[in-house]
Amino acid sequence: MVLADLGRKLNAALSSLNRAPVVDEKVLDVMLKEITAALLETDVNVKLVASLRNKVKHKVKALIEQNAGDKAKEMNRKHLTQKAVFDELVSLVDPGVEPYKPKKGQCNVVMLVGLQGNGKTTTCTKLAVHYQRRGFKSAIVCADTFRAGAFDQTRQSATRAKVAYFGSYTETDPVSIAAQGVSKFKKERFEVIIVDTSGRHKQESELFQEMVQIGDAVKPNMTVLVLDASIGQAAEAQSRAFKDSADFGAIIVTKMDGHAKGGGAISAVAATQTPIIFLGVGEHLHDLDRFSPQPFISKLLG
Ligand code: GDP
């Protein structure tokens, strides 16, 4: 089930309250069952769904007990129940942590990590374009020496986007490339320097080790985990593994335009207490939407 369908199902569950004469425990249970099923079908983590269900149930049961028999308050209970669901959906995608914001007039290093194919290289250029349009002098450093063609891909898309780039066809040490590129762009007073890293290695431990080494060499102001929207229930374990070694401070979920369910990637927020900052919504340079919890849930519910 894709996110648009999730929105429709959640909406239908919430509107079912309008047809009931009053919100009692039975009505509440039916609504929560529909909401739970819709979230699970979208691959939101089972524990998160159970927690959302319990919190809404707890809040609304307290309301039912407080104002039983009071007609005016019973009418208001529908609205309060809908609001409780809305608030819990927002907190699902809101860890309450402010992400790093690049500052003008200084050098901001942003390092992207994530498994191969999740959209890191594409997102690097999208991010550079995003900041460049907002007046930041931006550049990309390609430190992915593992995937053949990664530097070519960066070179082509950066050239198309008129963004400065750095990489090497001959140097095989990604740490050295990252250090050289960042040092060069710092000297040239670039304000946003985006570092692309490898997404695959012979050994997973080598991949994580390499990320730590690149991080030590370039000292990023912000590390971003790039997650494919189709990740599903694997999101929790994968995002935790990256958090342990790369300690990212923000998440970008890519391919939200496709047929992916999206709920798994959303679960990474709670698993790592890290905010989503952008959504990738296509293959083109400008297909990057800023993410904020409240507007996202409002839009989802239509
Ligand atoms: P990397 O291995 O993590 O660097 O991944 P790439 O940047 O090479 O992306 C892998 C594939 O996903 C490419 O075909 C991209 O065009 C595609 N891709 C990346 N982001 C998005 C997105 O937001 N939407 C869609 N539809 N495709 C994307």
Side-chain angles (χ1 to χ4, degrees):
M1 187 168 75
V2 297
L3 276 182
D5 295 330
L6 171 66
R8 262 193 298 280
K9 289 203 177 180
L10 292 176
N11 230 330
L14 289 171
S15 326
S16 71
L17 295 184
N18 297 334
R19 287 191 299 276
V22 69
V23 178
D24 55 18
E25 276 199 51
K26 201 167 148 221
V27 170
L28 175 65
D29 280 344
V30 171
M31 181 201 72
L32 282 174
K33 209 168 159 193
E34 284 174 31
I35 288 178
T36 306
L39 289 170
L40 289 174
E41 271 181 67
T42 327
D43 270 345
V44 178
N45 180 282
V46 183
K47 278 178 283 175
L48 289 177
V49 176
S51 155
L52 179 143
R53 187 174 181 278
N54 291 339
K55 282 185 188 156
V56 173
K57 199 167 177 162
H58 192 74
K59 271 192 203 171
V60 179
K61 267 181 81 173
L63 285 174
I64 293 173
E65 280 160 22
Q66 273 165 27
N67 51 39
D70 183 327
K71 279 277 168 276
K73 284 184 177 160
E74 280 181 352
M75 287 313 292
N76 198 29
R77 207 187 287 159
K78 283 181 191 172
H79 171 70
L80 291 175
T81 304
Q82 285 163 337
K83 187 177 178 313
V85 174
F86 180 83
D87 289 348
E88 288 307 323
L89 288 170
V90 170
S91 62
L92 204 59
V93 287
D94 185 3
V97 178
E98 272 299 304
Y100 177 81
K101 289 214 170 59
K103 294 159 196 77
K104 288 251 168 75
Q106 72 175 56
C107 174
N108 304 272
V109 177
V110 179
M111 176 167 118
L112 267 60
V113 299
L115 290 186
Q116 183 167 316
N118 279 6
K120 270 187 317 305
T121 306
T122 310
T123 305
C124 279
T125 314
K126 286 182 181 177
L127 268 184
V129 168
H130 171 89
Y131 288 118
Q132 192 138 286
R133 286 176 86 192
R134 279 153 188 82
F136 290 88
K137 194 179 170 193
S138 306
I140 304 169
V141 176
C142 175
D144 180 356
T145 52
F146 191 80
R147 178 160 69 91
F151 178 43
D152 263 335
Q153 191 183 333
T154 301
R155 196 171 55 84
Q156 281 165 18
S157 63
T159 306
R160 212 176 320 126
K162 298 188 174 58
V163 170
Y165 63 91
F166 179 88
S168 170
Y169 286 112
T170 50
E171 173 65 70
T172 53
D173 177 10
V175 182
S176 162
I177 295 180
Q180 282 177 50
V182 169
S183 152
K184 168 185 149 65
F185 288 131
K186 271 188 173 173
K187 274 194 209 111
E188 294 171 8
R189 302 206 169 275
F190 275 82
E191 291 165 302
V192 173
I193 304 171
I194 299 163
V195 182
D196 193 8
T197 62
S198 172
R200 202 170 82 199
H201 240 287
K202 288 183 206 77
Q203 293 285 327
E204 201 173 71
S205 59
E206 282 179 28
L207 169 67
F208 288 129
Q209 219 177 338
E210 181 179 301
M211 275 176 345
V212 172
Q213 287 168 353
I214 296 178
D216 287 346
V218 304
K219 303 204 170 25
N221 299 90
M222 171 166 70
T223 300
V224 181
L225 175 69
V226 178
L227 266 188
D228 185 322
S230 66
I231 183 168
Q233 296 283 353
E236 190 179 353
Q238 195 184 109
S239 57
R240 284 225 169 102
F242 272 95
K243 187 83 179 179
D244 287 346
S245 46
D247 192 19
F248 53 89
I251 297 172
I252 295 181
V253 183
T254 61
K255 310 185 196 179
M256 287 295 280
D257 52 306
H259 294 289
K261 295 176 175 180
I266 283 173
S267 309
V269 172
T272 60
Q273 290 300 300
T274 308
I276 297 174
I277 51 170
F278 289 102
L279 300 177
V281 292
E283 294 188 82
H284 297 110
L285 292 177
H286 299 293
D287 294 334
L288 189 71
D289 286 353
R290 230 187 247 273
F291 180 91
S292 316
Q294 281 228 6
F296 176 76
I297 296 298
S298 298
K299 195 173 156 203
L300 182 71
L301 296 175

